[in-house]
Amino acid sequence: MEDLPVTPVDAARSAKDAMLRRFYARAKINGQIVLPAVPALLDEYVSMCSTVFAGLGKPFSDAELAHIRDALTGELATAYAASPRSNIIITYNAPIGTSLNYNIRAEWTSISEAYERWLATRTPPLFGTEPDARVLQLATEAADPATHRVLEIGAGTGRNALALARRGHPVDAVEMTPKFAEMLRTEADRDSLDVRVIARDVFAESDDLRDDYQLIVLSEVLTDFRSTHQVRSLFELAARCLAPGGRLVFNTFLPRDGYHPDDAAREFCQQVYSSLFTRHEMSTAAAGLPLRLLSDESVHDYEKAHLPDGAWPPTSWYIKWVDGIDAFRTSPEESPIELRWLVFERTH
């Protein structure tokens, strides 16, 4: 069979293709990709690198992509293990020619350091001006606040602790972020409030907690927990430190009916202050302890209904966060998770 003649159109196309290959080879390229460290999404990182590099005229072979995968696997594991506030940073550059150089590294900061950055970059109030309505409602059940001792874990700058102390409750406030603890102590001292500030990780070994608290509060704290082991430690602490009949109240993200989170969802939720646990994990963590679940309520609905006029929402980011939109870009109605208030009672 004779070769077909080359038409002017074919010749022009071939020439342009050859010119474009040379055109892209003349490009000098520098760039950076920064993504949260989510090991279960390894395929997404590799796919993004492949797409970006090909779009720059530097397509990678299967062997080169396999090398990237290996490098990403190690760096993702390192970053995620170090902190839920961790990133993978991929930098790349290409001199004139066909090659592209890249570097992959992990970067992370502690939770305490992340919150201190909030102080430096965000406009107060960081968490709203009013105490949580659910917390305040439980406190008002006390006939005499002076005998209704409160422990708040992760007290932040004191939104709940100070309000409870002003009601007359003696309050112990545990806060691991040094600057938050300093701000809380300063305001409590200024107003002569009965607040004892304990600046440490509450799960560190120490004998400075009491065993007669009537109320233990954790607001926006389990959203930074990393494991069910921490949840179990919390329940053990509550069983040890609550007086019989005392209450434990905290909020946590739980799946809506029908949703079963995989590893990728759990890991990514940790990166966006939305750590996720299931109700089965909650009940398992409390098993064998003298604690009984009293209520399980929507944070969005409860706070919207009970906060004072003008206090809803507490912050500009609050509604989307409690509805799970920080982790899942969808409508509130279709979000697979939501923040819930759980209240437990020590039975004996």
Side-chain angles (χ1 to χ4, degrees), residues 78-343:
T78 297
Y80 182 75
S83 172
R85 305 293 174 264
S86 55
N87 289 321
I88 288 297
I89 301 176
I90 306 166
T91 55
Y92 53 88
N93 68 84
I96 292 177
T98 59
S99 63
L100 183 143
N101 307 310
Y102 65 89
N103 176 264
I104 299 171
R105 64 182 176 90
E107 179 184 73
W108 62 85
T109 186
S110 70
I111 292 175
S112 179
E113 290 168 338
Y115 281 117
E116 289 195 355
R117 287 182 183 176
W118 281 32
L119 286 172
T121 60
R122 298 195 177 198
T123 302
L126 298 181
F127 305 102
T129 58
E130 297 293 324
D132 290 304
R134 191 69 182 97
V135 172
L136 197 60
Q137 188 277 327
L138 288 169
T140 57
E141 294 179 4
D144 180 7
T147 63
H148 201 84
R149 187 174 293 274
V150 177
L151 169 65
E152 183 174 19
I153 298 171
T157 57
R159 180 171 52 89
N160 285 314
L162 295 170
L164 294 171
R166 290 188 176 102
R167 291 194 73 253
H169 298 272
V171 177
D172 287 350
V174 179
E175 176 51 52
M176 65 183 294
T177 301
K179 288 186 179 179
F180 283 179
E182 180 183 349
M183 293 169 67
L184 174 52
R185 185 181 291 112
T186 297
E187 187 164 353
D189 290 347
R190 184 194 67 200
D191 295 345
S192 300
L193 298 174
D194 188 359
V195 178
R196 180 170 67 112
V197 179
I198 304 168
R200 67 173 176 86
D201 180 346
V202 73
F203 296 126
E205 291 295 329
S206 181
D207 59 359
D208 54 4
L209 299 181
R210 303 171 61 100
D211 61 3
D212 62 346
Y213 296 109
Q214 297 293 328
L215 180 64
I216 296 179
V217 177
L218 295 91
S219 178
E220 303 175 18
V221 174
L222 272 77
T223 52
D224 279 324
F225 275 20
R226 304 205 69 190
S227 68
T228 53
H229 174 74
Q230 286 179 290
V231 180
R232 175 67 181 186
S233 295
L234 168 62
F235 284 132
E236 290 174 343
L237 183 150
R240 184 172 68 250
C241 294
L242 279 173
R247 307 288 176 81
L248 165 68
V249 58
F250 59 86
N251 47 27
T252 184
F253 280 98
L254 298 175
R256 287 197 164 109
D257 290 345
Y259 177 59
H260 304 284
D262 59 12
D263 289 345
R266 291 176 180 272
E267 292 170 2
F268 182 63
C269 282
Q270 286 189 17
Q271 288 281 12
V272 290
Y273 302 84
S274 305
S275 292
L276 177 62
F277 300 98
T278 66
R279 286 179 174 81
H280 175 72
E281 288 169 335
M282 285 288 160
S283 62
T284 300
L289 297 173
L291 297 169
R292 176 171 64 99
L293 178 65
L294 294 182
S295 64
D296 177 346
E297 299 166 286
S298 163
V299 170
H300 178 284
D301 294 349
Y302 193 96
E303 297 301 308
K304 183 178 181 180
H306 294 91
L307 280 173
D309 290 343
W312 176 261
T315 66
S316 61
W317 47 264
Y318 189 83
I319 294 177
K320 287 184 177 180
W321 177 63
V322 301
D323 286 340
I325 307 304
D326 279 5
F328 299 89
R329 182 176 289 182
T330 185
S331 67
E333 296 76 19
E334 294 181 347
S335 174
I337 67 172
E338 65 172 332
L339 197 65
R340 306 282 296 185
W341 280 121
L342 300 186
V343 180

Side-chain angles (χ1 to χ4, degrees), residues 64-79:
E64 289 170 322
L65 290 175
H67 188 270
I68 288 179
R69 176 181 292 273
D70 289 343
L72 280 165
T73 299
E75 294 298 326
L76 282 166
T78 297

